[in-house]
Amino acid sequence: MFGKVKNKMNVTDRKVYMEIFSDRRISYRVTAGRAVRFGEEIDIYGIEAEDSRTGEAEKIADFSPDIEDAVAFAEMLTAERTKPRQLYSRALNFLYLLI
């Protein structure tokens, strides 16, 4: 009944592409890196959220192969004042909106 949906990608050469600071002392970062998918090396973009007050941090290293989706998601996180612990649920909401 349960099965593996996706193998986790190994992201290499990760760099911060863009960083947004919110008024609640939470920083949202879009990271750029490289990953191998189906034997081919591709560019991949991730999302990180870090609360500087509490030290809480979450990341999705392989969020999207499209930079526009990653930047739009980071802007949505800022607009909604998302806490790091809410990152995965917001990512599912964003995916729902894209479909």
Side-chain angles (χ1 to χ4, degrees):
M1 179 170 257
F2 294 101
K4 188 182 274 190
V5 175
K6 172 182 149 186
N7 287 335
K8 189 88 169 154
M9 280 191 231
N10 187 17
V11 179
T12 59
D13 298 332
R14 238 179 60 210
K15 300 174 190 101
V16 175
Y17 178 82
M18 179 182 81
E19 190 165 18
I20 303 171
F21 295 99
S22 75
D23 58 348
R24 299 177 76 191
R25 293 187 183 180
I26 298 175
S27 60
Y28 304 99
R29 294 181 200 94
V30 175
T31 59
R34 307 280 298 161
V36 177
R37 181 187 289 172
F38 305 118
E40 182 180 331
E41 194 170 50
I42 61 167
D43 292 326
I44 197 83
Y45 301 94
I47 300 291
E48 297 179 359
E50 182 179 1
D51 188 337
S52 62
R53 292 175 295 163
T54 64
E56 180 184 9
E58 289 291 335
K59 69 178 178 179
I60 303 174
D62 56 348
F63 180 74
S64 175
D66 186 10
I67 186 65
E68 292 177 7
D69 289 343
V71 170
F73 181 59
E75 290 172 349
M76 185 186 89
L77 293 174
T78 305
E80 294 181 356
R81 298 177 163 193
T82 304
K83 295 178 182 176
R85 67 177 155 262
Q86 299 171 316
L87 185 65
Y88 289 95
S89 63
R90 295 291 191 243
L92 288 173
N93 289 343
F94 187 78
L95 179 62
Y96 173 76
L97 293 173
L98 286 179
I99 295 174

